[in-house]
Amino acid sequence: MAAQKINEAHEHIAKAEKCLKTSLTKWKPDFDSAASEYAKAAVCFKNAKQYDQAKDAYLKEAEYHTENKTAIEQAGMMMKEQKKMPEAIQYIEKACMMYMENGTPDTAAMALDRAGKLIEPINLEKAVDLYQKAAGVFENEDRLRQAVELLGKASRLLVRLKRLDDAAVALQKEKNMYKEIENFPMCFKKTTAQVLVHLHRGDFVAADKCVRESYSLPGYSGSEDCVAMETLLQGYDEQDEDQVYRVCNSPLLKYMDNDYAKLAISLKVPGGGGKKKKAAAAPQGGAGGAPSAAKDEEDDEYEGGLC
C-alpha cells in the first residue's frame, strides 16, 4: 500500500514537472496545474508516511500556487509528524505571515493558536509568544472574545513559568478586555488572579489596588469574590496565617484554573514561618475532604522565593 502511494506520488511529480516545461508551442509554464499535481503528490507521500517528501511537495505546491497559503502550513504539519517541532512552528509562522498579507487575519490567528497548542508541551515560552501574537491579531480585528481567550492561555503559562511580573501585566490586559465586552463575572475572577500574583510578587500595595479598582465594576462590591479578597488581604496584612489559609483553601480559590489554584494553596504570610496552623485544616464551604488536583500535583511548586 505504501509503495503504491509512493509510486503515485512520483507520477504526480512527473506530471507537475511536465507542466512547468516550455517549448516552441508552449511559451509559459502552467503553474496552476503544476501546483495541483504537487498537492496530489504531497497527499500520497503523507498517506505513505513519507513526511519529508510530503513536506517538499507541499512547499512546491506553495511555490507555484501563491494564493494557497495552507500548503506551507501543511508542510509544517509534516514536520510535526516527525516530532521536529521547531521546524514545524517555523513553517506555520511563515504561513501566518502570508495569511496576513493575503487579507485573511482570522485564518492567521487560528493557525497561530494551533501552533501554540503544538509547541506548548515542549516550549512554554514559545507557546506564550504564539498565543499573544494570535490574541493581537484578533484584537486588531475587534474580535475581543477570541482575543481574550488567547490572552488567558498566555497569562496562565506566564504564571507556570514564574514570570509573575509579565503575568501581572497580562492579567490586567485580560481584565480590561473583559470589562470592554461587559463580562463582569470574569473581571471578578481576574481580580482574584491578580491579587494572588501580586502577593506572590511580594507587592501588597498592587494587590490592594486591584481590589479597590474593582469596586467600580457592577456587582463586585459585596460579591463572594470581593469578600474573599478583602478577607485575604486583611489576613495577609495582619500576618494571620489561619485567615489566609482558610481563604486560599476555600472552594472559590481551590477550583480556579490550575495554575492560579497552585498560587493560592502555596501562598505564605510574610514572617509566618511558612507553616499552616492545625486549627485551619478544614477549609470553609465543605471542600475539606477533596484536595484539589493542583495540590496533589505540585503542592510546593511556588514555595520559596516568590513572596
Side-chain angles (χ1 to χ4, degrees):
M1 180 66 179
Q4 182 184 345
K5 287 296 178 185
I6 292 170
N7 287 336
E8 285 179 30
H10 286 297
E11 287 172 11
H12 287 302
I13 289 174
K15 289 179 184 177
E17 289 171 348
K18 186 176 179 181
C19 292
L20 295 171
K21 288 181 179 177
T22 56
S23 65
L24 289 173
T25 56
K26 182 188 170 193
W27 294 0
K28 291 177 66 177
D30 185 353
F31 292 125
D32 284 346
S33 297
S36 177
E37 292 298 334
Y38 278 120
K40 292 173 184 174
V43 172
C44 289
F45 281 132
K46 179 180 174 182
N47 289 339
K49 300 191 186 309
Q50 301 299 305
Y51 298 120
D52 260 330
Q53 290 171 289
K55 175 208 69 176
D56 292 338
Y58 276 125
L59 292 177
K60 284 289 188 182
E61 179 196 356
E63 181 182 347
Y64 295 118
H65 191 177
T66 55
E67 294 304 309
N68 187 3
K69 316 303 179 193
T70 58
I72 294 180
E73 188 180 349
Q74 285 299 316
M77 298 308 289
M78 295 304 96
M79 292 294 92
K80 175 248 179 183
E81 291 294 337
Q82 296 183 83
K83 313 297 183 190
K84 296 179 179 178
M85 298 308 295
E87 294 95 328
I89 300 305
Q90 198 172 29
Y91 281 122
I92 295 171
E93 284 191 284
K94 183 179 178 180
C96 291
M97 291 298 296
M98 298 174 95
Y99 290 140
M100 293 290 290
E101 291 166 5
N102 202 42
T104 53
D106 283 7
T107 307
M110 288 186 284
L112 287 167
D113 182 21
R114 286 195 293 272
K117 290 172 185 171
L118 287 178
I119 202 72
E120 189 176 317
I122 59 172
N123 189 336
L124 292 180
E125 296 277 1
K126 186 61 180 176
V128 168
D129 177 54
L130 292 166
Y131 289 142
Q132 289 180 330
K133 283 179 179 175
V137 173
F138 275 132
E139 186 178 3
N140 288 338
E141 295 300 302
D142 289 326
R143 295 186 59 181
L144 298 187
R145 284 177 174 79
Q146 288 85 353
V148 77
E149 182 180 337
L150 288 159
L151 280 177
K153 291 183 181 183
S155 298
R156 291 191 292 275
L157 294 188
L158 286 168
V159 168
R160 201 176 306 171
L161 286 162
K162 302 182 185 179
R163 287 172 52 187
L164 298 184
D165 289 352
D166 294 328
V169 173
L171 279 164
Q172 184 62 51
K173 186 168 185 179
E174 268 191 88
K175 186 173 166 181
N176 291 342
M177 210 171 278
Y178 276 120
K179 185 177 179 180
E180 194 170 340
I181 62 177
E182 299 186 345
N183 187 338
F184 299 118
M186 282 304 295
C187 291
F188 301 172
K189 302 303 177 191
K190 295 306 163 184
T191 299
T192 299
Q194 284 181 304
V195 169
L196 292 170
V197 166
H198 285 310
L199 291 181
H200 270 278
R201 291 176 62 243
D203 194 340
F204 177 86
V205 173
D208 187 59
K209 183 181 176 184
C210 287
V211 175
R212 292 182 182 281
E213 287 178 346
S214 294
Y215 289 147
S216 64
L217 297 170
Y220 185 71
S221 184
S223 68
E224 182 183 19
D225 301 84
C226 178
V227 171
M229 289 305 95
E230 289 172 338
T231 307
L232 175 61
L233 289 172
Q234 180 191 41
Y236 192 89
D237 190 37
E238 296 175 359
Q239 297 188 2
D240 185 334
E241 287 183 288
D242 291 348
Q243 186 163 313
V244 169
Y245 181 73
R246 282 196 300 272
V247 176
C248 286
N249 284 268
S250 66
L252 184 69
L253 273 67
K254 285 178 71 173
Y255 300 113
M256 293 177 73
D257 287 318
N258 207 38
D259 292 297
Y260 300 124
K262 289 175 184 177
L263 288 183
I265 62 176
S266 62
L267 184 65
K268 300 293 181 287
V269 174
K275 293 183 179 179
K276 304 180 184 83
K277 294 186 179 179
K278 296 286 185 182
Q284 291 178 338
S292 70
K295 186 175 179 68
D296 288 343
E297 289 173 15
E298 233 170 320
D299 191 25
D300 61 353
E301 179 181 349
Y302 296 100
E303 287 185 13
L306 282 179
C307 62

